[in-house]
Amino acid sequence: MTTMRITVDVAAPYDVVIGRGVLDDVDAWLPDTAARRAAVVTTAPVEEHHAAAVTAGLRAAGLDVHVRQVPDGEAAKSLDVLGQLYDWLAAIPLARTDLVVGLGGGAVTDLAGFVAATWHRGVPVLQVPTTVLAQVDAAVGGKTGINLAAGKNLVGAFHQPLAVVADTATLDTLPARELRAGMAEVIKCGFIRDPRILDRIERDPAAALDPAGEVLPDLIHRAVAVKAQIVAADTHEHGERALLNYGHTLGHALETLTGYARYRHGEAVGIGMRFAALVSEWSGVADAGLHDRTTAILADVGLPTVCDPVDSDEVFAVMARDKKVRDGLRLVLCERPGVARVAALDRAVLERALARVRHP
Ligand code: GLY
C-alpha cells in the first residue's frame, strides 16, 4: 500500500503523511528541528500498542524521550490534566526548542497541541493520531484546546503541528465503535466538499470500515485533502473554515449536556448532521432527499441517527454559547452534497428538527 502525503499550505506548511506502517519511520517524517527532548503525551492503551515504535523513531532522530499517560477520551481535556502536564514539562525540563508529541485519539492531540501552544508561549508539536477521527480532523489544522463544564473546547489556541503522521495500521486495534464514530467526520467532508466520499461509502460500507483494505485509507486521504484545502484558505476561521463544523453545533450541545460520557464525538456529530440536513431541507436551502441520504449513510456505517430525550431549552442554551454562534442562531447547512454554507435561522425550524431527531 502506498504512502500518501498532503501538504497543509498554511504560513508554515506541513505534511500529513498517511499510510500503513508510517509510524515505524517517525524520524523520517520529522522535519529538521533543534529539539533535544521530546515529551510524548499518550494514553495507556495507545502506549501499549504504539509507543515503542514512536519512541524508537524519536530516539533515532537523536531525542531524549519522555512519555506521560493521560486519561482516555474527553477526560484528558481538563484543566486538572493540563496542570499536571505543565508540572511534568517543568520537571523534564522541556525547553522552548524541544518537542511535544501527541500520540493518540482526538482528545490527546487536542490536549497535546494546547500544551505545546502554551508551554514557553509555544513549542513545536508532532501529531501522531491513532483514530480515524484524529487522523481526518483533530490532528490536522492546528485547532487545540480543552473543555470546561460550560462547554467543549472553550479554552484553546490555533497551533499548527510540525507534521502529522497518520498510520492506518493503528486502526486495526481501534474498537469498532471508535472506528464508526470517526466515519462521521469523513462523511461530513463528503457533504461539505467531496461527494465522492459519500459514493464510495455507499457502494461498500463494510469496505469503508476495514482498516486493512484499500477503501478506508483512500477515504482518510480524501477527507484530509478536504480539511487541508479549507484550512489553507481560512486558517483562523474567519469564514470558510466554519463549514468544517457541519453537524457540530447540535453535536457539541449533546456532548456537553451528557457530560461527554454518553456519545462518542462522531456519534453526536452524526446526529447533528441529520439535524442540519432536516433544517437545510425545511428552510429551503436543500432539495428533498438530503435528509434521507444522510440518515441512510449514517446507518450504513452503524452510527446512531436519533438522540436520547433532551430538554430543548437546555440544548438552545448550550448552542447559544457555542463559539460558532454569532448574532443569533446560525448553523452550517448543506445545499447539496459537496456544497455547504452558514445561514441564520429561526428557532422554530430548529425546534422542529430537534423534535424529529430526538427520541420522544
Ligand atoms: N474541527 C473543525 C476544525 O478544525 O475547524
Side-chain angles (χ1 to χ4, degrees):
M1 231 172 268
T2 49
T3 298
M4 298 169 276
R5 278 172 102 131
I6 292 174
T7 301
V8 185
D9 203 3
V10 289
Y14 60 92
D15 283 346
V16 182
V17 181
I18 304 159
R20 211 171 170 78
V22 292
L23 189 138
D24 296 329
D25 300 311
V26 161
D27 46 323
W29 313 119
L30 186 65
D32 280 347
T33 152
R36 291 175 48 221
R37 299 176 199 85
V40 181
V41 179
T42 190
T43 61
V46 175
E47 180 170 6
E48 185 191 330
H49 288 112
H50 307 300
V54 173
T55 54
L58 294 170
R59 288 195 183 104
L63 301 176
D64 172 28
V65 183
H66 301 256
V67 180
R68 173 88 177 194
Q69 286 180 11
V70 294
D72 224 359
E74 292 292 315
K77 292 174 58 177
S78 73
L79 284 168
D80 271 359
V81 175
L82 181 68
Q84 289 161 19
L85 287 184
Y86 289 143
D87 289 342
W88 172 60
L89 297 184
I92 289 177
L94 198 89
R96 181 173 275 176
T97 49
D98 287 336
L99 181 70
V100 170
V101 179
L103 170 63
V108 166
T109 60
D110 280 3
L111 173 69
F114 188 66
V115 167
T118 48
W119 184 249
H120 290 319
R121 300 193 179 88
V123 298
V125 62
L126 172 73
Q127 297 288 23
V128 186
T130 60
T131 63
V132 175
L133 183 133
Q135 293 183 353
V136 302
D137 190 55
V140 181
K143 275 193 183 175
T144 71
I146 60 166
N147 304 327
L148 300 181
K152 197 172 156 81
N153 298 330
L154 283 183
V155 178
F158 286 101
H159 189 60
Q160 301 292 341
L162 276 187
V164 181
V165 179
D167 189 337
T168 53
T170 62
L171 309 178
D172 294 349
T173 49
L174 198 62
R177 185 177 174 193
E178 287 294 339
L179 193 70
R180 287 195 289 266
M183 289 307 289
E185 295 285 1
V186 177
I187 290 169
K188 174 197 81 179
C189 291
F191 280 113
I192 64 169
R193 185 58 59 90
D194 180 2
R196 290 166 302 178
I197 288 175
L198 307 177
D199 300 337
R200 287 216 83 172
I201 296 171
E202 287 163 340
R203 205 178 309 141
D204 192 347
L209 292 166
D210 177 8
E214 304 269 332
V215 177
L216 180 55
D218 175 66
L219 290 168
I220 290 171
H221 177 253
R222 284 177 188 276
V224 170
V226 169
K227 179 135 194 194
Q229 198 186 84
I230 291 176
V231 167
D234 179 25
T235 309
H236 294 103
E237 198 168 316
H238 298 303
E240 186 181 352
R241 185 164 180 166
L243 303 182
L244 290 167
N245 296 319
Y246 186 57
H248 283 61
T249 304
L250 178 63
H252 280 169
L254 294 176
E255 288 184 275
T256 300
L257 289 172
T258 52
Y260 308 106
R262 169 71 182 87
Y263 304 101
R264 310 305 303 151
H265 174 65
E267 293 169 346
V269 168
I271 296 163
M273 284 194 285
R274 184 177 166 224
F275 168 79
L278 279 169
V279 175
S280 303
E281 284 190 18
W282 289 347
S283 56
V285 167
D287 290 336
L290 180 75
H291 167 253
D292 287 353
R293 190 172 184 190
T294 303
T295 310
I297 198 166
L298 293 172
D300 278 350
V301 298
L303 281 167
T305 54
V306 287
C307 62
D308 293 342
V310 273
D311 180 80
S312 59
D313 285 340
E314 288 183 14
V315 170
F316 280 91
V318 177
M319 290 203 298
R321 284 203 299 268
D322 195 292
K323 298 181 297 305
K324 299 170 289 294
V325 176
R326 285 182 225 142
D327 312 326
L329 292 162
R330 289 163 70 82
L331 199 70
V332 184
L333 300 183
C334 182
E335 288 181 21
R336 58 181 185 280
V339 182
R341 68 172 154 98
V342 178
L345 294 149
D346 289 340
R347 177 161 168 162
V349 69
L350 300 175
E351 291 262 17
R352 199 150 69 87
L354 181 61
R356 180 86 177 268
V357 301
R358 169 178 69 186
H359 273 303

